[in-house]
Amino acid sequence: MVITETPDLGTPAPRASGDVTLTIDGKTITASEGTSILRAAKLAGTSIPKLCATDSLKAFGSCRLCLVEIEGRAGTPASCTTPVAEGMVVHTQTPTLKRLRNGVMELYISDHPLDCLTCAANGDCELQDVAGAVGLREVRYGYAGENHLADAKDTSNPYFTYDPAKCIVCSRCVRACDEVQGTLALTIAGRGFASRVAASQDESFFTSECVSCGACVQACPTATLTESNVIEIGQPEHSVVTTCGYCGVGCTFNAEMRGEELVRMVPFKDGKANHGHSCVKGRFAWGYATHKERILKPMIRERTSDPWREVSWDEAIGHAASEFKRIQAKFGRLSVGGITSSRCTNEETFLVQKLVRAGFHNNNTDTCARVCHSPTGYGLKTTFGTSAGTQDFDSVDHADVIMVIGANPTDGHPVFASRMKRRLRAGARLIVIDPRRIDLVRMPHIEADYHLPVRPGANVAVLTAMAHVIVTEGLVDQAYVAERCDLDAFYDWAAFVARPEHSPEATQGASGVPAGDLRAAARLYATGGPAAIYYGLGVTEHSQGSTAVMAIANLAMATGNVGKPGSGVNPLRGQNNVQGACDMGSFPHELSGYRHISDAATRRLFESDWGVTLDEEPGLRIPNMLDAAVDGQFKGIYIQGEDILQSDPNTHHVASGLANMECVVVHDLFLNETALYAHVFLPGSTFLEKDGTFTNAERRIQRVRKVMSPRNGYEDWQITQLLSNALGYPMAYVHPSQIMDEIARLTPSFAGVSYQKLDDAGSLQWPVTGAAPEGTPVMHVQGFVRGKGLFVLTEYVATDEKVGPRFPLLLTTGRILSQYNVGAQTRRTDNALWHEEDRLEIHPSDAEDRGVKDGDWVKLTSRAGDTSLRALITDRVAPGVVYTTFHHPLTQANVVTTDYSDWATSCPEYKVTAVQVSPSNGPTDWQKRYETFAHDHRALAAQPTE
Amino acid sequence: MNDLDPAGEPHITTTTEERLVYMANQIARFFASQPHEAAVAGAAKHLADFWDPSMRQRIRAHLAGGGEGLNPIAREAVAALKR
């Protein structure tokens, strides 16, 4: 379908207020108070020429093209900076205005190359359009005078080119960087005629603070900032609106195409998650789809030491199915299982768990959400009744206090971070609880009121101590609690947190957080107005991950911060469809919509629809599958879109489990690390090559639309369907919309969802029900889904992963802006230029103690294993804490992480590993062996010549 | 056999049985701050809701064999499992 985008209205919409009536060019119109004349005119169908104005940015009034005449007022004011007024009579086209606009355009054009025919922006250039609009016919000044036409291009950024010769110094790029992205990397250097756009301190774009979000490119009205792809390929000829395949923000984009060739991804202005903004990954890092290492043909091998053999789809699917059947016949029904992926669509995920439950006849289905946000599901369902965040992203505009815990939004969720930064620049207060001094703690125009540098593993101590302050200092919202929460549980909880041992003073030794700061932060959270909590994997990936989520929920309920604008508990989901993967019944204990498998009525519903009898017992989780594999009881697995060898903890144990299986089927884009142990490889399709839906962190269901044919031959849901059919459980979907219809039929919270409805609405936030046919942006508005909000006792229990003489430092892990998860996609794009290797962040004092200099190779050793990487000396980490990312397989950060995990969900404790750091000469013997092993196990057999 | 896992490299992974005991104790430790009866019931329900039958069977067999290593609440919770 063709989706039209709201046109550029010139200036942003004003805050809602009363209406005024005015006349523009003889037409009587009504507009909201505060609307600019430029916007009001455009809304009424009259386009006033403009260059410096665009509706994503505040009016600037510099280009002097949007001038108008207003009866009764002197001069020719800029319509972008002049608000409408009652009774105003405006003229947008007069001889005076024509003369003035022509004069301005002549000046612009006199210092602009006249290469329109060969310019990359030809056909997509506002300067060109405005020249036509004002009727420019000559440039009286000539072109021989001083100009900038010979200024050198900056091609340092791999994704876009800065050509100063074409710059009209409208400042749209600078303002976009300031207002939309919030990085403030750009400025106008020089004065008068010497004024030029400059990155940072007049550095190249690549080496500057620029984060390559593309906002400046998007804002540029000329060819000054242009995607290098457009320069190389040319202008696109059609576009398709789709949803990004990276993080849980769920940005929508116009995929701009030439035939089946993707030219560029342009953030969709009407996208309700991103409102026209993007980050370096979604905007630019999609080249992996055509990377030479992508596997496009199915492959099989008898033993993992054999070279791969390319085969037909029929042979690969037939082989996988017969192996699964053989294994189940020999080792039992429960000896196989499957893993769904948070990178895949809802429909694909639903189908994989259906294949496991109906095709394998067991519940051994799990999802990679196991290793990230499973504690969110457990914690929020227990306390609120729903396994999801409470707010929409827009809610942050109403927050007066923002508390960020265990999340690094500027790197992990950059587009939402830009929204958050905007609110912070406008005055919201900020509390950051994180072992590292993340960027948000102090950046241009933003400084956290409190940074509580919690020791890794002590979140629950800090959160319970905050509750202690709130309860003992009388800061509880008594009326809210009395109306909405289970009072018996509240009183038990209040008495529990009020105990002296939970005071900030008593816990600061364990948490590392000064009691005074903690008390002040708790007071601010409780009394500072609408307060929103945003948290990430720094909360969940702990042995007390679920406890910490419930401690967060307790705080929000106690202070009345759930169910209203600007408040809430907001998990920032890592991958694009973590929420959806959980919603779709991927976990072994529950069917879609978070209904336990033991519930007979729910099972009957599915059994009736699917025509099978379902096992009433929960199945194995991923770590339990691996344990069972090591024990010789679990022998086969179908893994769609997940690289457990690289992303799951304790690599040695994962490898042992995989090596013990007789049939490992990996369904992915690349021969990932897990595929080293695979017997069947089914090539997957990218998000560009399939239809479906993703559900983002705010429960927003959005369409993924196919913009090109799958290069591997099939969309992923089709491949699962082929496998299911070969296993003997028939599936006959013709289009994923039919899968969504089935999901809606079987899942109350999705009851009102269909592709047609999504196309009409753009997106829908579940629950979408008869009571909420347009979806539910904010949950728990009238009351909690579970009835009364449940306070839960959250005793701090120190992790068993202890530091000691052998392992005196605490390692915590995370991600970086330019890379995504295990890096399978982003490493195969130019994003690798920003992050060529994982580095170990270490405090200067810890480095000095060990004789380590910046850039030195260091060996990182834990009780689980060791690896080597280069050191990055920084005081972003506290003494005693080290930090690294896990984007590169040869670093294998998870070689050192342990298999300690959350008590409730088995989510790994990635964030706490006791380690030692020592100087090293380079990669460890294990890394060298791994490199050889990986090379050998990716080998492809020589193909017979035809 | 794991090609990448030669003998002698440090491991913390114990046997599955030991791991199940550890997990049961972890669960019990969470519920321990509740009154005893509720703690046992909570831990038992958690095991029934989230552990697959083979895991429950192994932990019950472990208890039947003396239950070494299980903390008191975990022990009672495992004993309370119906199957």
Side-chain angles (χ1 to χ4, degrees):
Chain A
M1 70 176 287
V2 176
I3 297 171
T4 52
E5 198 167 27
T6 303
D8 185 356
L9 300 171
T11 60
R15 292 263 179 196
S17 59
D19 289 341
V20 299
T21 301
L22 70 158
T23 303
I24 297 180
D25 293 342
K27 194 189 301 181
T28 301
I29 65 167
T30 300
S32 300
E33 278 179 24
T35 305
S36 70
I37 294 173
L38 178 68
R39 183 181 176 92
K42 184 69 177 174
L43 285 167
T46 297
S47 295
I48 301 174
K50 64 177 182 59
L51 280 173
C52 73
T54 186
D55 60 9
S56 61
L57 305 172
K58 286 184 279 192
F60 195 53
S62 83
C63 75
R64 314 309 297 169
L65 279 164
C66 70
L67 309 177
V68 292
E69 291 189 81
I70 303 171
E71 290 185 12
R73 293 196 191 183
T76 51
S79 63
C80 64
T81 54
T82 308
V84 295
E86 185 65 35
M88 180 182 265
V89 179
V90 179
H91 300 282
T92 72
Q93 299 288 349
T94 69
T96 301
L97 294 172
K98 180 176 172 56
R99 181 173 50 78
L100 289 171
R101 288 175 185 152
N102 264 287
V104 171
M105 281 305 293
E106 283 183 272
L107 288 166
Y108 279 133
I109 300 301
S110 68
D111 187 15
H112 191 86
L114 298 177
D115 62 349
C116 288
L117 287 180
T118 55
C119 177
N122 189 11
D124 184 29
C125 174
E126 291 183 45
L127 188 69
Q128 193 178 46
D129 295 343
V130 172
V134 304
L136 185 71
R137 296 292 177 265
E138 61 171 342
V139 175
R140 291 167 292 164
Y141 308 110
Y143 305 99
E146 193 176 357
N147 59 51
H148 300 89
L149 301 184
D151 287 6
K153 292 180 185 176
D154 177 351
T155 57
S156 61
N157 188 293
Y159 296 122
F160 61 84
T161 298
Y162 169 55
D163 182 355
K166 294 181 174 173
C167 180
I168 60 170
V169 201
C170 65
S171 294
R172 270 165 64 162
C173 55
V174 177
R175 290 148 58 212
C177 193
D178 293 357
E179 297 174 29
V180 178
Q181 167 55 29
T183 294
L184 294 87
L186 303 182
T187 190
I188 300 294
R191 303 180 68 179
F193 189 75
S195 302
R196 307 314 286 163
V197 171
S200 293
Q201 303 300 309
D202 219 359
E203 299 162 40
S204 75
F205 270 79
F206 183 75
T207 57
S208 74
E209 295 156 298
C210 167
V211 292
S212 295
C213 68
C216 57
V217 180
Q218 180 76 355
C220 180
T222 70
T224 307
L225 286 158
T226 306
E227 296 89 346
S228 300
N229 248 20
V230 171
I231 295 171
E232 187 181 323
I233 300 172
Q235 288 290 323
E237 45 80 23
H238 77 275
S239 67
V240 181
V241 177
T242 192
T243 304
C244 180
Y246 281 118
C247 78
V249 175
C251 299
T252 42
F253 282 86
N254 262 318
E256 297 193 348
M257 312 291 298
R258 279 164 75 102
E260 288 209 298
E261 182 179 27
L262 179 56
V263 177
R264 63 180 173 185
M265 295 285 275
V266 179
F268 185 51
K269 182 179 178 182
D270 297 322
K272 292 176 183 169
N274 58 319
H275 297 287
H277 190 37
S278 59
C279 78
V280 62
K281 296 189 282 286
R283 179 75 150 93
F284 296 116
W286 35 265
Y288 66 87
T290 52
H291 193 275
K292 62 182 182 195
E293 288 174 4
R294 191 169 156 200
I295 305 295
L296 300 173
K297 293 183 179 169
M299 303 189 296
I300 62 174
R301 57 185 175 185
E302 296 303 316
R303 292 177 300 275
T304 58
S305 55
D306 292 342
W308 284 105
R309 186 163 59 84
E310 289 182 350
V311 296
S312 68
W313 274 102
D314 281 349
E315 186 175 349
I317 293 288
H319 179 72
S322 74
E323 277 295 278
F324 284 130
K325 284 195 256 190
R326 178 187 67 77
I327 288 169
Q328 284 191 297
K330 183 175 176 185
F331 297 100
R333 175 175 61 88
L334 302 176
S335 60
V336 299
I339 300 177
T340 75
S341 173
S342 298
R343 296 183 205 178
C344 290
T345 65
N346 286 317
E347 293 76 4
E348 289 157 356
T349 305
F350 185 83
L351 231 52
V352 171
Q353 63 89 33
K354 181 176 179 178
L355 176 145
V356 171
R357 297 186 201 277
F360 288 164
H361 304 288
N362 65 42
N363 291 316
N364 292 335
T365 170
D366 208 356
T367 169
C368 51
R370 169 70 53 215
V371 300
C372 65
H373 266 288
S374 52
T376 289
Y378 180 88
L380 297 187
K381 184 167 187 185
T382 302
T383 49
F384 297 161
T386 304
S387 300
T390 64
Q391 310 295 117
D392 57 1
F393 289 148
D394 289 353
S395 172
V396 76
D397 291 346
H398 304 281
D400 286 342
V401 178
I402 295 171
M403 189 152 94
V404 178
I405 313 175
N408 187 6
T410 54
D411 280 42
H413 305 85
V415 171
F416 174 67
S418 291
R419 286 291 292 281
M420 183 187 279
K421 288 189 289 184
R422 194 184 311 174
R423 179 64 196 138
L424 291 167
R425 291 196 303 274
R429 312 281 297 274
L430 175 64
I431 301 163
V432 174
I433 305 177
D434 200 288
R436 288 173 78 223
R437 197 183 65 237
I438 60 172
D439 285 350
L440 270 181
V441 172
R442 193 165 194 275
M443 62 192 316
H445 300 286
I446 292 172
E447 183 158 15
D449 292 83
Y450 303 101
H451 172 214
L452 310 185
V454 59
R455 188 164 293 143
N459 285 333
V460 172
V462 169
L463 293 163
T464 304
M466 289 184 75
H468 175 93
V469 175
I470 288 166
V471 167
T472 58
E473 296 190 7
L475 306 179
V476 170
D477 186 337
Q478 298 284 357
Y480 181 94
V481 171
E483 182 191 339
R484 296 190 180 218
C485 301
D486 180 320
L487 276 180
D488 288 342
F490 168 74
Y491 289 128
D492 288 347
W493 173 80
F496 169 81
V497 299
R499 289 183 204 158
E501 66 263 32
H502 296 135
S503 71
E505 290 74 17
T507 54
Q508 65 183 347
S511 71
V513 175
D517 284 354
L518 191 146
R519 281 190 179 273
R523 290 172 193 140
L524 174 60
Y525 175 74
T527 64
I533 297 175
Y534 294 90
Y535 72 89
L537 306 183
V539 164
T540 57
E541 291 175 343
H542 288 277
S543 59
Q544 282 203 290
S546 292
T547 314
V549 172
M550 292 186 285
I552 286 170
N554 289 339
L555 285 181
M557 288 189 290
T559 54
N561 273 310
V562 184
K564 49 194 184 190
S567 67
V569 174
N570 305 280
L572 295 172
R573 308 288 189 157
Q575 300 197 68
N576 50 322
N577 202 33
V578 174
Q579 182 69 58
C582 298
D583 299 341
M584 292 298 102
S586 297
F587 288 129
H589 66 281
E590 62 193 8
L591 292 158
S592 62
Y594 305 100
R595 291 161 297 166
H596 201 274
I597 191 72
S598 64
D599 180 66
T602 304
R603 258 198 340 273
R604 274 199 299 276
L605 182 70
F606 282 77
E607 287 172 343
S608 161
D609 202 276
W610 292 356
V612 293
T613 300
L614 296 176
D615 188 340
E616 64 181 339
E617 291 282 3
L620 293 165
R621 297 168 172 175
I622 295 171
N624 307 126
M625 292 181 200
L626 292 166
D627 288 345
V630 170
D631 291 345
Q633 294 159 357
F634 188 87
K635 289 291 185 181
I637 192 164
Y638 169 40
I639 304 172
Q640 183 184 71
E642 174 64 358
D643 189 357
I644 58 172
L645 188 69
Q646 193 181 344
S647 65
D648 283 30
N650 195 348
T651 304
H652 294 305
H653 185 61
V654 177
S656 297
L658 288 169
N660 243 18
M661 295 187 204
E662 294 185 6
C663 180
V664 174
V665 177
V666 169
H667 175 172
D668 215 309
L669 300 176
F670 301 100
L671 273 175
N672 60 22
E673 307 312 302
T674 305
L676 303 180
Y677 290 90
H679 306 84
V680 179
F681 187 88
L682 304 176
S685 52
T686 71
F687 77 109
L688 298 166
E689 300 164 341
K690 58 194 177 188
D691 280 304
T693 56
F694 292 149
T695 306
N696 77 354
E698 45 169 4
R699 295 169 281 103
R700 188 180 298 282
I701 309 159
Q702 303 187 108
R703 278 297 316 278
V704 177
R705 294 185 177 87
K706 184 159 76 173
V707 305
M708 61 179 71
S709 305
R711 296 179 67 226
N712 56 320
Y714 289 109
E715 300 178 42
D716 290 324
W717 63 270
Q718 292 174 306
I719 296 165
T720 304
Q721 176 163 291
L722 288 171
L723 182 57
S724 186
N725 287 332
L727 283 165
Y729 180 73
M731 293 183 183
Y733 305 101
V734 175
H735 190 268
S737 61
Q738 297 167 317
I739 306 172
M740 179 52 80
D741 292 342
E742 182 174 319
I743 294 165
R745 196 162 65 233
L746 295 171
T747 315
S749 53
F750 277 63
V753 180
S754 69
Y755 277 28
Q756 184 61 55
K757 188 84 186 284
L758 287 168
D759 284 347
D760 293 343
S763 63
L764 295 164
Q765 287 174 272
W766 68 256
V768 187
T769 61
E774 303 307 317
T776 311
V778 177
M779 295 202 75
H780 317 296
V781 172
Q782 302 299 329
F784 287 99
V785 168
R786 73 178 300 279
K788 295 289 187 182
L790 184 69
F791 284 87
V792 175
L793 307 188
T794 55
E795 185 82 68
Y796 166 61
V797 179
T799 173
D800 288 326
E801 176 67 1
K802 311 280 190 200
V803 293
R806 281 180 66 211
F807 304 106
L809 303 172
L810 282 176
L811 167 73
T812 189
T813 61
R815 61 179 64 178
I816 199 165
L817 171 68
S818 57
Q819 296 286 343
Y820 177 72
N821 207 270
V822 296
Q825 294 144 284
T826 43
R827 279 186 283 107
R828 293 180 171 97
T829 69
D830 283 333
N831 277 28
L833 296 172
W834 282 281
H835 188 74
E836 293 173 328
E837 59 186 336
D838 295 319
R839 294 251 182 160
L840 184 78
E841 292 188 8
I842 184 168
H843 190 273
S845 62
D846 290 327
E848 189 176 345
D849 285 350
R850 290 161 177 76
V852 171
K853 295 190 295 296
D854 197 56
D856 280 358
W857 279 92
V858 291
K859 186 174 174 184
L860 182 67
T861 310
S862 77
R863 296 179 179 93
D866 55 44
T867 189
S868 282
L869 67 174
R870 291 180 198 273
L872 174 66
I873 297 176
T874 171
D875 63 0
R876 285 170 69 105
V877 289
V881 175
V882 291
Y883 167 89
T884 190
T885 50
F886 59 99
H887 302 306
H888 287 268
L890 290 180
T891 308
Q892 290 277 14
N894 283 321
V895 168
V896 297
T897 55
T898 70
D899 47 14
Y900 287 122
S901 62
D902 174 44
W903 68 269
T905 66
S906 303
C907 179
E909 191 169 48
Y910 290 115
K911 301 299 182 185
V912 189
T913 307
V915 295
Q916 178 59 290
V917 174
S918 53
S920 163
N921 291 327
T924 62
D925 290 344
W926 185 87
Q927 283 169 292
K928 291 174 188 166
R929 281 204 310 279
Y930 185 86
E931 193 163 10
T932 305
F933 174 84
H935 177 267
D936 293 347
H937 281 64
R938 287 194 172 99
L940 181 66
Q943 298 299 298
T945 51
E946 295 183 9
Chain B
M1 171 191 165
N2 175 10
D3 301 358
L4 282 176
D5 201 14
E9 289 217 356
H11 265 241
I12 63 159
T13 305
T14 53
T15 65
T16 301
E17 190 162 313
E18 286 171 335
R19 191 205 285 263
L20 293 177
V21 169
Y22 181 84
M23 290 167 63
N25 285 342
Q26 256 193 311
I27 293 164
R29 209 158 38 172
F30 168 77
F31 288 100
S33 50
Q34 300 178 8
H36 184 75
E37 205 170 299
V40 171
K45 183 172 187 325
H46 193 92
L47 293 172
D49 283 351
F50 297 106
W51 282 29
D52 103 307
S54 67
M55 294 164 66
R56 298 202 305 267
Q57 189 193 345
R58 286 180 83 158
I59 198 73
R60 290 173 69 211
H62 179 80
L63 180 65
E68 186 185 351
L70 283 171
N71 65 34
I73 292 173
R75 187 177 280 268
E76 286 187 58
V78 174
L81 288 173
K82 299 282 190 294
R83 54 180 182 166

